[in-house]
Structures are given as structure tokens and as C-alpha cells.
Amino acid sequence: MGMERKSNEEGIQVEDIISAIKGHVPDMYEFNPKESLNMKHKTYKDSPRRADQMHCVVCVVEADKITLMDKSLVNKFETIRSQVNKMKAEQPPPPPPPKPLLEKPWRNLELNEQVKNELLQDIRNYETLTESVEEPRILLIGQIGAGKSSFFNSVKSIFRGHVTLQAGSGQGETSVSNLYRIYPVHDGKGGKRLPYILCDTMGLEREQNEDGIHMNDIISVINGHVPDLYEFDPKASITKNDIRYRHEPVLGDKVHCVVFVIDADKMSLINKILRQKFQSIRTTVHKMGIPVLVLITKVDEACLEVKKDLSKVYWSRYLNEKVTKLGQELGVPMSAISLVRNYSSETDLDWNFDILILNALKQMLRAADDCLDDMKLRGLTRSSST
Ligand SMILES: Nc1nc2c(ncn2[C@@H]2O[C@H](COP(=O)(O)OP(=O)(O)OP(=O)(O)O)[C@@H](O)[C@H]2O)c(=O)[nH]1
Ligand SMILES: [Mg+2]
């Protein structure tokens, strides 16, 4: 209701305006110029919420009448203004936004050259102590463009001493890698073969209309039926009648650790279909005694603080919250989740990148050991004499 321009006009009472500002006036309340709303009125809101209060008060004045404003009207505006100022002073200040970095890192991983050298040594000296499997196979599966091929390239780069791009990587509507690739890694150019194999697959589709790897093909790969260079067909999975189908895989052809590769920037966008696929793979491989790990890539794209300084990766509040939630959704413990920044556009190695990547690889080798221990218990392997 308008305020009266002159004392003989009827307009809204100043007390009603102040009550409205404080949130005591309900919607549809009919103003009475003779009597203001008071606590006894049945519609009076006793304890208004913050959202019921006004957050901005605008005095609407006709430009044409500014000079003709009655003194009593000016006084009313004054009263309202001083009341609003008083309310502002009484309001507690909004809580400051949480700091992007935590007080303490949520995982202790020092990033220095000595740590890198120790990790390199650990991986070089790794042995399965299982005669039938000298090179455990680590299978990388995940969404299209999650960084599976880039992870292999990054591992190879570290042991080669410079950035390499063997596995085709890049951005695409469909998976850039449509071939199954089994990649051994060598210690330096022409150096000895390192004791593990990374297996790169076609991506799982992000949306229903995209083409991704067939679920049955993932299981066939895990069981060792799929040979290197097999071309995945999203429309049909490999069958026993296919000449490329390996009918009698040995233990060394099978997968010993499954890694879900997930883009850090898309963690909260993992849809129901993809989550169900991950869960179904996890259940299947769990029965086979194969461990499942999660590799979070592109941490630089998900958190600005980490983009500025990769050593802050385990200090990032955002990554901590998202990773915790993801672990719960996928049913994977936090200790099974590693975070990395793959080499993408860089030309030189950086030991901050290297330590995260090597640490993730070390976790994968340890998980493969657990798989082999389980196979030994089931009487499926022969231990080496060493
Ligand atoms: N900034 C950044 N970019 C990355 C990282 N990892 C991968 N990329 C980039 O992401 C894009 C996709 O990476 P790929 O390695 O091809 O992903 P993929 O999972 O093999 O994809 P498909 O084979 O198509 O299923 C490439 O342009 C990479 O350079 C990372 O950690 N940080
Ligand atoms: Mg790829």
C-alpha cells in the first residue's frame, strides 16, 4: 500500500512497513491505515525466518514530486532508513566460505625428488614371486576421454625420461582408443622390460547415445580371451567363434588388477547407467579375486588450487569431498583411490606429476600381488623358487 502524501490522505502505517521488513507480515495481509499490524493479530508472524525478511528496501519516488514531498513523508522515510540500518547492525555477518585448502593433507605423500627415486626403485625391483605370472596385467577401464591412454603414456614417459605419446590420446565423440592394447613398459630407451603390463581399452560411453565398449568384452578381456590389437565393436562383443578369441588363456593372459579411471572434473556427473556398470564389473571381478582400484585423473582441471600447485592435491577440500562421495557411491575404500595429473600438453617431465603417477602404479602392483596371493590360495599358481 502506498504512503500518504499529505496528512489528510490514508496510507500505510510506518510500523507496518517496518513489520514487513522484519518479516512479520504474511502474504495477502490487508493493510489498515487506521491500525497497524500487531502481535495480537492472528496472522502476525511471531518468529520469521531469515528468508521472510526483506533483503533490500527501495523507496519509490516520482521525479516530478521530489520537491513537493511533505515533511511528514520525509520523516517517515528517515524512520524506515534508521530502522533498516539498525537491523543491518544486528545481523550476524555471513559465515566466511570454507577455505579451499584443508589445515592438514588428507593423505600423506611428500612430493620431493628423493620420494620419486624411491618409488622408481620400488617399481624397478618389483617381482611377483609367482612363476606363472611374471608380469601382472593391469586393466584400465573408464569413461571415454577419462585419461586411460594418457596414464599409460605418462608411466612410459617417466621411465623413458621424457614425455612420450605412444598410445593415441585426445578428445572425441567416441572413444579414441577402439583397439585393445597391451603395453609393456621399458626402463629407458632399449632398457629392460619392467615387470608389469598396462592394458588399455575403449572407453565406456558417457551418455546413452554414445558408442562405448561392450560390457561382455570387458569380462572377456579380464578372463584373458581377447588378444592385443583386437578391435572393439560397441554393437557386438567378441564370441567364441571369432578366430581372434583365445580359448585357453594361461594365468599370465588374465587381468590381475582392474582400475576404474575417472575424470576428476566429471566425478559428480557419473550417471546411474555408468555407476551400475562399474558396480556390476566390481561384483564380477570381486568373485574372481581380482582387486579393483580407482584412478582419478585431471585433478588440475577440477581444482584451481591444484592447477596452480600440484603439490596441493591432497590438501584440496573440493577433491577430498568429491573423492569421499565417489568412494561411497562405488563401494570402494578411500585407500583404493589414487589421484594423478597425467602428462597432456607438457613437453618436460615434472617430479610432482611423476610421484603421483608412480605412487598410483605402486598401488596397482600391490593390488596385483593380492590377486596372485589369492590365486595361490586357490591352487592356481606356481610360486617361483626365489
Ligand atoms: N589437463 C589434463 N588433461 C588430461 C589429463 N589426462 C588426460 N588428459 C587429456 O584428456 C584427453 C583424453 O585423454 P585420453 O588419454 O585420450 O583418454 P582415454 O580415456 O584414453 O579416452 P578414449 O580412448 O577416447 O576412451 C586428452 O586430450 C588428454 O590430453 C590430466 O590429468 N590433465
Ligand atoms: Mg584411449
Side-chain angles (χ1 to χ4, degrees):
M1 183 181 202
M3 293 161 85
E4 71 276 20
R5 289 161 295 196
K6 303 212 172 63
S7 45
N8 59 353
E9 275 185 337
E10 286 203 330
I12 186 169
Q13 299 229 0
V14 171
E15 290 73 22
D16 275 344
I17 296 178
I18 291 167
S19 292
I21 292 172
K22 290 184 173 173
H24 297 297
V25 183
D27 187 24
M28 302 296 287
Y29 172 73
E30 193 173 336
F31 290 109
N32 179 355
K34 303 265 183 309
E35 192 193 359
S36 59
L37 177 70
N38 60 54
M39 288 163 87
K40 289 188 202 121
H41 203 284
K42 64 178 187 315
T43 55
Y44 184 87
K45 281 194 184 176
D46 281 323
S47 334
R49 293 168 303 137
R50 189 93 194 255
D52 295 325
Q53 299 174 1
M54 298 299 151
H55 304 101
C56 174
V57 177
V58 181
C59 296
V60 182
V61 181
E62 266 180 86
D64 211 20
K65 308 259 164 57
I66 292 175
T67 48
L68 302 175
M69 268 203 322
D70 193 88
K71 180 119 192 295
S72 69
L73 190 62
V74 175
N75 285 344
K76 284 183 182 173
F77 278 141
E78 263 306 308
T79 313
I80 294 165
R81 195 167 59 85
S82 72
Q83 185 63 40
V84 169
N85 285 345
K86 213 168 131 209
M87 277 175 74
K88 269 203 292 196
E90 284 164 3
Q91 297 271 351
K99 291 192 180 132
L101 296 180
L102 299 163
E103 310 254 301
K104 279 202 268 170
W106 50 281
R107 186 170 292 171
N108 282 323
L109 177 65
E110 281 190 47
L111 301 180
N112 61 51
E113 208 158 358
Q114 193 194 338
V115 174
K116 175 183 166 178
N117 290 334
E118 283 167 10
L119 283 165
L120 277 173
Q121 266 330 97
D122 274 0
I123 293 167
R124 283 186 179 119
N125 297 337
Y126 171 82
E127 275 183 83
T128 60
L129 304 184
T130 307
E131 217 177 74
S132 36
V133 185
E134 287 187 357
E135 295 171 337
R137 291 189 179 206
I138 297 159
L139 179 68
L140 306 171
I141 51 180
Q143 282 168 288
I144 296 170
K148 301 176 290 297
S149 305
S150 300
F151 180 70
F152 160 72
N153 284 335
S154 301
V155 169
K156 181 176 169 187
S157 302
I158 298 171
F159 286 98
R160 185 50 79 86
H162 60 85
V163 177
T164 64
L165 297 168
Q166 182 180 350
S169 71
Q171 316 273 4
E173 284 291 296
T174 53
S175 192
V176 171
S177 320
N178 60 347
L179 297 182
Y180 178 47
R181 289 311 322 263
I182 294 172
Y183 291 120
V185 181
H186 292 264
D187 195 5
K189 194 173 176 182
K192 89 171 182 20
R193 206 166 140 140
L194 288 160
Y196 58 88
I197 288 174
L198 289 174
C199 306
D200 190 15
T201 51
M202 181 180 204
L204 286 159
E205 67 277 21
R206 289 164 293 202
E207 310 283 338
Q208 241 164 349
N209 55 356
E210 278 183 336
D211 275 347
I213 188 169
H214 209 285
M215 282 290 278
N216 292 344
D217 277 343
I218 295 181
I219 305 301
S220 296
V221 163
I222 293 172
N223 282 321
H225 298 300
V226 180
D228 189 22
L229 290 167
Y230 171 78
E231 188 171 347
F232 292 110
D233 178 357
K235 304 272 180 298
S237 53
I238 192 167
T239 65
K240 287 184 178 166
N241 301 329
D242 195 307
I243 48 161
R244 295 162 295 181
Y245 190 90
R246 194 188 284 125
H247 286 272
E248 288 180 6
V250 292
L251 269 189
D253 295 326
K254 300 191 181 195
V255 163
H256 308 99
C257 171
V258 172
V259 182
F260 292 159
V261 183
I262 296 174
D263 178 340
D265 210 19
K266 309 241 161 69
M267 277 188 279
S268 41
L269 300 177
I270 293 189
N271 59 29
K272 206 169 156 214
I273 302 171
L274 195 62
R275 213 168 34 237
Q276 278 168 352
K277 284 191 177 175
F278 277 141
Q279 273 157 357
S280 137
I281 298 167
R282 189 174 57 87
T283 315
T284 310
V285 299
H286 187 69
K287 285 187 197 138
M288 295 152 96
I290 303 169
V292 171
L293 298 182
V294 174
L295 182 75
I296 310 283
T297 59
K298 307 194 192 182
V299 288
D300 54 311
E301 287 188 354
C303 175
L304 194 63
E305 297 298 320
V306 176
K307 191 185 184 88
K308 283 191 276 184
D309 178 359
L310 187 59
S311 69
K312 295 286 180 290
V313 63
Y314 288 115
W315 296 76
S316 162
R317 182 184 302 275
Y318 176 82
L319 287 175
N320 176 243
E321 283 169 6
K322 292 282 172 195
V323 169
T324 309
K325 193 158 171 272
L326 181 82
Q328 286 161 356
E329 277 175 7
L330 298 181
V332 176
M334 282 292 265
S335 57
I337 305 179
S338 300
L339 279 69
V340 294
R341 160 70 164 106
N342 285 324
Y343 287 105
S344 53
S345 54
E346 301 65 28
T347 48
D348 296 314
L349 294 182
D350 175 323
W351 47 258
N352 287 308
F353 289 41
D354 297 352
I355 292 169
L356 294 177
I357 293 163
L358 291 172
N359 200 52
L361 183 60
K362 188 171 133 184
Q363 294 282 92
M364 294 171 196
L365 294 176
R366 284 187 177 166
D369 271 346
D370 292 339
C371 174
L372 295 171
D373 286 347
D374 191 67
M375 285 180 169
K376 271 177 213 156
L377 283 178
R378 296 180 197 212
L380 299 171
T381 59
R382 273 173 292 133
S383 297
S384 72
S385 47
T386 46

